Amino acid sequence: MFQNIGEMLLLLWRTLGAGGQLWRQRRKVAEQLFEIGNASLLMACILSMFIGGVIALQTGPVLVERGLSSSIGGLVGLSMCKELAPVMMAVLIAGRIGSAMAAEIGSMRVYQEIDALRTMNINPIHYLVLPRIAAISLALPTLVIFSILVGWMGGAIVSVYNQQIAITFQGYFSNLGELVEAKHIAHGLLKAFVFAVVIGAVSCHQGLQTIGGPRGIGRSVTKAVVNSIVLILILDYFITRLLLHFEP
């Protein structure tokens, strides 16, 4: 495990060192961005709408019983932007995009296309890894912004139309505006950026390590998704602790 982590960090370091090649690879970055957005945006919106709705549904009646129904907007708002949107979008992207990255690069490794790139004096890190990590680092924070907004709306719809809660749109968003600050959204975007780099590095590393034919590709895909999700949840704890340390 520690060998894998060390190799992945070395790959990430080499990728960061190749950052000067990013402009030359801008077309591949744009292709990856389109692919990630096209594959994930609708699913992200559906997921976020129902997550916001479930938070309101679970907490709304309890708050009403205690005379705190006016606090539901802030509760949904903070939950979405600080925790649920970055973590759930990262898990979604790890499953849909990370697995695709590992499978694509793994197939190229198994069928010796990466060796062919080296023969043509094309660096695989510049050509394959750098555009993917750059694209996912831009795409995931953008998806998190969509997720936060749609999740807020899902919570508002449930809060207004559920008979046990029944507050107004104005009251919901007024409380949300009082409690949610720009720094809370920034915290979520910081988490999303870190998670995106982890997903890209883990998936590309697993793809480049693939051996053993089609069965090996399947193993690499599984490892990429599982390792990404485990690292996301571990890093989420430590980033949250770090951010709480700097809050007044």
Side-chain angles (χ1 to χ4, degrees), residues 179-198:
L179 294 184
V180 177
E181 301 175 17
K183 68 179 182 181
H184 299 136
I185 298 174
H187 290 178
L189 296 181
L190 174 64
K191 285 186 177 182
F193 178 76
V194 175
F195 296 158
V197 172
V198 168

Side-chain angles (χ1 to χ4, degrees), residues 8 10-16 18 22 25 28-29 32 101 105 108 114 117-118 123-137 196-197 199-208:
M8 187 196 72
L10 182 60
L11 175 66
L12 186 58
W13 176 255
R14 289 176 176 167
T15 306
L16 292 174
L22 198 56
Q25 302 295 338
K28 291 192 70 66
V29 174
Q32 290 291 325
M101 286 183 181
I105 296 176
M108 296 180 71
I114 292 179
L117 288 176
R118 290 196 177 98
N123 190 322
I125 291 178
H126 296 180
Y127 189 73
L128 297 175
V129 179
L130 179 63
R132 284 168 171 78
I133 292 182
I136 200 169
S137 300
V197 172
I199 294 167
V202 169
S203 303
C204 292
H205 173 254
Q206 288 299 329
L208 290 171

Side-chain angles (χ1 to χ4, degrees), residues 94-95 202 219-232:
V202 169
R219 282 196 296 267
S220 292
V221 170
T222 303
K223 284 182 182 178
V225 175
V226 172
N227 292 348
S228 295
I229 292 174
V230 170
L231 286 173
I232 286 165

